[in-house]
Amino acid sequence: PEAYEEPDDIPLGVCGEGVEGPCDHPFFMDTGDASIWHDRHSDTYSAAFDLTRKFDRHHTIKGGWETQFQNAQFVSVALPWIADPSNLGWVHDVYEVNPRVGAGYVQDSFDFEGFIGNMGLRLDYWFPGKEADEAVGNTSRANYDATIEREYTDQTHSFLGGRRFKAKILPRLAVSHPVTDHTHLFLNYGHFNQWPTYFYVYSKIASVSSEDFPLVGNLNLNPEVAVQ
């Protein structure tokens, strides 16, 4: 903290003989250090494949899978001139996590005398990562929450006895059917998944700062699912 100086605006007045009324200060000189510093970095490595096969003149089956290996780093320091036991400033957060997300799908495209449709299922999955798996069960962690640990265990699945993950099955359906020579009926139905923003999941996973009301992430935050 002693290496940083709290910012201030020093007024540079315009005063002197012949100036009537109160002294005016139209100019300022800024001093000190910035109050907030951020460093955010992420890497993503992806792999995917698709396979299509036509079984007969009515059906075409398509399937595929994709996965992303991610590395996300986040550093935030605010008010560094205020003393804190970690010497990182009054408000700070530092973490590095390695989540993994992906999806698999299967789809049947069919056509029967003008009746055209696509019907399929998609499976979205998310591994919060080693850091989250260890943090939820670490009772010595400052932000440990027994309720979060219980919910995390109940609402995630174990992959081959190792890392835990969440998954959502999302149905999709689209059809087009001729009613008359000039009229068609269209129907689209689907579930769409959005995993939570990592900031609201991993915040304060490994940091404890001196702020009065810290924002602590929810390691068991669930995705938003929209039905359209």
Side-chain angles (χ1 to χ4, degrees):
E2 61 274 5
Y4 299 94
E5 179 184 352
E6 184 174 358
D8 192 12
D9 290 326
I10 300 176
L12 301 176
V14 179
C15 301
E17 296 182 1
V19 177
E20 298 181 358
C23 184
D24 193 12
H25 300 283
F27 304 105
F28 293 84
M29 180 175 65
D30 292 331
T31 65
D33 297 294
S35 59
I36 299 177
W37 180 78
H38 292 297
D39 181 13
R40 301 170 184 172
H41 177 79
S42 64
D43 292 313
T44 300
Y45 300 93
S46 303
F49 77 86
D50 296 287
L51 181 64
T52 302
R53 181 174 180 182
K54 190 173 183 65
F55 281 88
D56 54 41
R57 66 187 186 90
H58 296 298
H59 289 274
T60 301
I61 305 297
K62 185 177 181 179
W65 170 80
E66 61 180 342
T67 189
Q68 294 183 359
F69 296 90
Q70 302 174 337
N71 172 265
Q73 303 173 50
F74 178 86
V75 180
S76 177
V77 177
L79 309 180
W81 51 84
I82 299 179
D84 180 87
S86 65
N87 290 321
L88 285 177
W90 188 52
V91 180
H92 65 268
D93 195 10
V94 180
Y95 61 79
E96 180 180 0
V97 292
N98 294 275
R100 178 181 172 185
V101 297
Y105 75 95
V106 60
Q107 173 185 299
D108 179 18
S109 299
F110 51 89
D111 181 356
F112 292 98
E113 298 181 356
F115 182 83
I116 302 172
N118 289 284
M119 180 173 59
L121 288 175
R122 177 184 171 96
L123 173 69
D124 281 9
Y125 64 85
W126 170 42
F127 288 79
K130 172 185 177 182
E131 297 79 13
D133 289 351
E134 294 178 349
V136 292
N138 183 2
T139 57
S140 63
R141 190 171 65 98
N143 295 321
Y144 170 78
D145 189 320
T147 301
I148 294 296
E149 179 186 11
R150 183 175 63 254
E151 292 177 349
Y152 187 85
T153 302
D154 292 342
Q155 298 177 17
T156 58
H157 311 279
S158 176
F159 181 72
L160 300 177
R163 297 285 164 243
R164 305 197 67 84
F165 70 96
K166 293 190 174 188
K168 287 288 184 181
I169 296 178
L170 309 168
R172 307 284 174 84
L173 174 66
V175 297
S176 170
H177 177 59
V179 179
T180 68
D181 292 341
H182 303 287
T183 307
H184 274 71
L185 171 67
F186 295 96
L187 171 66
N188 292 278
Y189 174 81
H191 290 205
F192 300 88
N193 182 61
Q194 181 177 354
W195 297 113
T197 301
Y198 290 161
F199 177 75
Y200 298 108
V201 177
Y202 300 110
S203 290
K204 294 295 190 294
I205 189 175
S207 300
V208 179
S209 57
S210 301
E211 58 196 294
D212 295 327
F213 303 101
L215 175 64
V216 179
N218 181 355
L219 292 170
N220 191 49
L221 200 61
N222 288 314
E224 294 183 6
V225 178
V227 180
Q228 299 181 359

